[in-house]
Amino acid sequence: MIKLYRIRDYDFKLIVFVIALSIIGIFAVSSANASYHNRQIMGVVLGVFLMLVVSFFDYNIILRLYWVIYVANIILLTLVRIQGARSHGATRWLNIGGFQFQPSETAKIMMIIFFAAFFMRHAEELKNFRFFVIALTLFAPIFYLIYSQPDMSTSIVIIVLFAILFFEAGISWKVVLGVLAVAVPTFIILLMMILQSDQDIINEYQQDRILAFLNPEEYTTSGAYQQNNSVMAIGSGQLMGKGYNSDEINSVKNGNFISEPQTDFIFAVIGEEFGFIGTCTVILLLIFISIECIIIAKRAKDLAGLIIAAGMGSLIAIQGFLNIGVATQLVPNTGLPLPFVSYGLTSLVSLYIGIGLVLNVRLQCNIRTREGIS
């Protein structure tokens, strides 16, 4: 259902922040790998179009289909296991009619929509531990199907995202403290087990990434190689950078010092070519987008709107922090794209759709305000 909205109620600040970040992404991706230039532009254009369409579509209509969205999410992730395309040791992509996309990226947005509707419809049960178990049971298949691809980094993101969605919904502090009392020692025990040489909890390459992060000196030519080079590239950019599309042979992209610079390590390209100013601009835009989403969440007309806006703001903040953390060696190598910047059409378009929902939450809020005044 399309409603009539006032143009002055539209959140143009959020749109400007997102498009500005995407423009930086276009230049960075083009410099990292020119063959992706046109596709990145196409992804941004398609994303902006879908964002605008979704922003004028009443999100409450979409929420009515929350069980359809949940089932569709499970089916897509299951298809990846059955007939997914394998690349770089993982099966994460689906090829349908010559079009390749990554369901684990759409799963994040679909998960936010589903739990926004689910929590709102069961708001009176949120403080019940039994309801927490039910919600966790619904989350478990999504987590398992993504983790088994294998995709530990996205699995971590959706775990944190699920916790934030539940917290925003108003879960009881007793449940929170109870879960933390179990989760924290469990995490410590798992980490100790993972660090053992004969462990079979995670894949070997995942263990190597953790060990390389903890002992970078011992893995300078293997697991820590790319992160070390990324840090040096960012530092070499100094204040103003070496210039856009630098042709220096010792740059990270021209010297092939890191693989896939257009995705996981796009922040290193930005740091090297645009310097401290460029990296700060990216970080500030990510912060502004997240804060704007949180502001909209506080003004939402209902619980579902709050969860959608807060969920999107949290997703962008979490993923942005982890991607930049990898590039600056603050966290182990995770392989996550930088929101609105890295190459990856599924991630890019999915995030734009999510922002479209947030924009509609803002418009719905203003409709409620006008109705209250009249």
Side-chain angles (χ1 to χ4, degrees):
M1 177 180 178
I2 304 294
K3 291 186 176 181
L4 295 177
Y5 302 107
R6 297 187 307 185
I7 192 69
R8 67 182 182 182
D9 290 335
Y10 214 62
D11 194 337
F12 289 104
K13 285 185 299 193
L14 182 58
I15 295 175
V16 169
F17 294 152
V18 168
I19 292 179
L21 194 57
S22 296
I23 291 173
I24 294 174
I26 290 173
F27 282 104
V29 169
S30 178
S31 179
N33 193 327
S35 63
Y36 294 114
H37 175 74
N38 291 335
R39 278 183 278 183
Q40 187 73 359
I41 293 177
M42 180 185 69
V44 172
V45 172
L46 177 60
V48 171
F49 171 76
L50 291 175
M51 176 186 70
L52 295 176
V53 171
V54 172
S55 69
F56 289 111
F57 197 88
D58 188 348
Y59 70 88
N60 290 286
I61 304 298
I62 299 175
L63 294 181
R64 293 176 187 174
L65 304 172
Y66 71 111
W67 280 114
V68 175
I69 292 171
Y70 178 81
V71 173
N73 197 7
I74 297 298
I75 290 174
L76 286 173
L77 292 173
T78 302
L79 285 174
V80 173
R81 286 183 60 85
I82 297 173
Q83 58 182 41
R86 190 170 183 82
S87 177
H88 297 87
T91 306
R92 302 174 185 172
W93 295 267
L94 276 180
N95 287 311
I96 299 178
F99 176 74
Q100 180 171 288
F101 73 102
Q102 192 173 349
S104 60
E105 292 297 329
T106 59
K108 301 169 189 174
I109 310 302
M110 297 171 82
M111 193 180 91
I112 291 174
I113 296 172
F114 171 75
F115 282 110
F118 185 72
F119 289 155
M120 185 174 71
R121 281 161 174 75
H122 299 274
E124 296 180 357
E125 304 173 52
L126 284 168
K127 298 185 183 299
N128 189 321
F129 184 76
R130 176 176 170 274
F131 179 76
F132 172 76
V133 174
I134 293 173
L136 194 62
T137 302
L138 290 169
F139 169 73
I142 301 173
F143 168 79
Y144 171 75
L145 289 169
I146 292 176
Y147 179 78
S148 61
Q149 292 181 357
D151 192 345
M152 181 184 287
S153 54
T154 302
S155 301
I156 293 172
V157 169
I158 64 171
I159 287 175
V160 177
L161 182 60
F162 175 73
I164 291 174
L165 296 180
F166 224 133
F167 181 79
E168 291 293 340
I171 188 174
S172 170
W173 276 103
K174 293 181 180 179
V175 176
V176 173
L177 295 175
V179 171
L180 288 176
V182 175
V184 173
T186 300
F187 171 78
I188 295 173
I189 293 171
L190 279 175
L191 181 60
M192 293 176 64
M193 293 173 64
I194 286 171
L195 295 179
Q196 302 301 314
S197 59
D198 58 346
Q199 66 85 33
D200 57 1
I201 301 173
I202 60 176
N203 291 327
E204 185 177 350
Y205 79 91
Q206 294 171 330
Q207 184 192 42
D208 287 343
R209 288 181 175 183
I210 296 174
L211 291 172
F213 171 73
L214 296 174
N215 303 289
E217 300 83 5
E218 298 179 17
Y219 293 83
T220 53
T221 59
S222 55
Y225 179 75
Q226 294 194 82
Q227 285 186 290
N228 288 339
N229 288 334
S230 174
V231 171
M232 288 190 289
I234 294 171
S236 70
Q238 299 185 41
L239 179 64
M240 302 295 293
K242 298 178 180 178
Y244 172 63
N245 205 10
S246 171
D247 58 359
E248 291 188 21
I249 192 63
N250 62 343
S251 68
V252 291
K253 61 186 181 65
N254 296 328
N256 294 320
F257 295 119
I258 56 176
S259 63
E260 306 296 334
Q262 72 277 2
T263 54
D264 303 349
F265 287 94
I266 193 70
F267 192 75
V269 176
I270 294 171
E272 185 177 60
E273 298 193 350
F274 299 105
F276 181 75
I277 293 176
T279 55
C280 283
T281 300
V282 170
I283 293 172
L284 287 174
L285 285 172
L286 287 169
I287 292 174
F288 291 158
I289 292 170
S290 298
I291 290 176
E292 193 67 20
C293 288
I294 299 302
I295 291 173
I296 293 173
K298 290 184 177 181
R299 300 177 57 189
K301 71 174 185 178
D302 53 30
L303 181 61
L306 183 152
I307 293 173
I308 288 172
M312 281 303 303
S314 300
L315 174 61
I316 291 167
I318 295 166
Q319 201 159 300
F321 169 78
L322 288 176
N323 178 279
I324 294 173
V326 168
T328 54
Q329 218 166 22
L330 292 176
V331 298
N333 194 344
T334 59
L336 286 168
L338 186 60
F340 300 107
V341 179
S342 294
Y343 174 76
L345 301 189
T346 309
S347 173
L348 185 61
V349 173
S350 297
L351 288 171
Y352 265 111
I353 291 174
I355 293 296
L357 290 170
V358 175
L359 290 170
N360 188 257
V361 171
R362 163 72 181 268
L363 289 172
Q364 295 286 341
C365 170
N366 285 315
I367 285 179
R368 182 197 62 176
T369 302
R370 294 202 303 274
E371 288 175 349
I373 293 175
S374 62

